[in-house]
Structures are given as structure tokens and as C-alpha cells.
Amino acid sequence: MYEFAPVLGKALDRAIRPLLRFAHLTLGLSPAQVTWAAFGASVGAGASVAAGRLEWGLGLMALGQVLDGIDGGIAREFGLASDAGRRLDTRLDRASEAVIFAGFAAAGMVPLKLVMLALAAILLMTSIADRSGLDPGVKRFALYFGIWVPYPVLFQIVFVVNLAAYVVGLLLIDLQFQRRMDALGGDLDTVASRAAGLNG
């Protein structure tokens, strides 16, 4: 959850270390089990919102996000982090957003088209987040502000922020690529020509 804010992640891990140890050592929970529990809470959140119980939905969404922080904390604390675990976490994070957003659409609080646009922007941003190192984090968290801001506006914000992050992320990836080419002594054609000459 905190791959893009490691300092924050370490500070939170220290703050909740007793909870992490209790969850893993006493309850015997693995990071993957906690990840699935977080998804289960998100499914409950989406169902509650769809049924018109917004407060319950937001509460379950908060529980899911807390669990989503604990799974990574357990993995880091006990040396259980893995690529498979990160992939599972990312996929279930996106699935969680999908079911929660769908709940808002089912309740008639947000047009389905706007929900789909927000999800599409999040998926685009996620597709390059590992390479760009950019994830604005404006997804589920934005929904807590529905007390003050209409939900259609919040979904527009989620769409715009994540789409902008995708565009900026592409630029960052291109910049990183150009720097690597410069370090190798030229553009892609030059470097490829030199490599061909060395092989020839």
C-alpha cells in the first residue's frame, strides 16, 4: 500500500507493530489472508452503499483500507514480501474499488458512465505506476468527502487526478528512458548501432 511513500510506510509500521505481531504471531494470519479480508470488507462496503446504507458502507470501506495497510505491514515486518503478494494486493485493490464504485452507481448516487471513467483512469494509472513511481492515491479515500462534496464531483476528481497521473507517469517513464540512453552515449538508434557493431 505504501510502495510510493516508503517513509510513511515505515513510520506507520512502527506505530502499529504490536498489532502486526498480534495478527501474525497470535492469530496466525498471513499477508494474503489479510489482503483477502480487506477485499471482503470492500465487498460489504459496496453492498451496503448499494442498499442505501452509506454510513455502513463508508465504515466497511475504512475497515478494508486499514486491513490493506496491515497486510503490507505484516509482509515487511516478517520478511514475507514477494512479487506475488504485491500483485495480489494491487489486483484486489482495483477489485475493491470496482465493487465500491459499483455500489454508488447501483444506489443511483453517481452515473454509471462516470464510475466507468473513474475506474478506467485508475486502471491506466496502475498499469504504469510501478515504472513511473507515481500513484496519487486519490481513489477510495476521496469518497469520505461526500459529506461536503457531491459524489458525482468526487468521481470526476478521481477521474481527472488519475488520468493526469497517467499522463505525467508516461512523461516520467520517457524521461527515465532518455536518461538511460544519455548514459549509454546517445539515442536509441545510436546505441543500437553500436551494439550491432560490437556483435558484428
Side-chain angles (χ1 to χ4, degrees):
M1 182 179 180
Y2 301 106
E3 289 84 353
F4 304 100
V7 175
L8 174 62
K10 290 178 181 177
L12 287 173
D13 286 350
R14 284 195 297 271
I16 64 171
R17 183 165 290 153
L19 176 59
L20 300 177
R21 298 183 70 82
F22 175 77
H24 184 64
L25 298 177
T26 304
L27 299 181
L29 296 175
S30 69
Q33 288 172 323
V34 179
T35 299
W36 279 105
F39 176 64
S42 297
V43 171
S48 296
V49 173
R53 297 179 176 273
L54 179 61
E55 294 81 5
W56 276 95
L58 293 178
L60 286 168
M61 184 174 74
L63 173 61
Q65 290 184 287
V66 169
L67 291 172
D68 191 34
I70 291 174
D71 62 358
I74 291 174
R76 290 185 293 271
E77 178 72 14
F78 297 97
L80 300 173
S82 67
D83 289 338
R86 281 187 285 272
R87 285 193 298 270
L88 177 66
D89 185 62
T90 298
R91 289 168 182 169
L92 289 184
D93 278 351
R94 299 298 81 86
S96 294
E97 285 136 20
V99 296
I100 292 170
F101 288 11
F104 280 88
M109 300 173 69
V110 181
L112 179 60
K113 179 180 178 180
L114 191 50
V115 165
M116 298 302 290
L117 285 172
L119 284 172
I122 290 171
L123 290 173
L124 284 172
M125 182 278 301
T126 302
S127 70
I128 64 169
D130 285 342
R131 288 178 290 158
S132 69
L134 179 64
D135 182 347
V138 181
K139 297 182 268 300
R140 282 171 279 176
F141 185 74
L143 303 182
Y144 295 114
F145 294 92
I147 300 172
W148 303 284
V149 182
Y151 277 106
V153 174
L154 289 175
F155 274 80
Q156 290 175 26
I157 291 171
V158 171
F159 167 69
V160 170
V161 169
N162 283 279
L163 186 62
Y166 174 67
V167 173
V168 172
L170 289 176
L171 293 174
L172 289 173
I173 291 170
D174 182 64
L175 180 60
Q176 293 164 7
F177 177 76
Q178 291 299 328
R179 285 178 176 171
R180 287 196 297 271
M181 289 298 101
D182 290 344
L184 292 171
D187 59 20
L188 184 59
D189 289 336
T190 303
V191 172
S193 298
R194 289 177 179 173
L198 290 173
N199 292 331

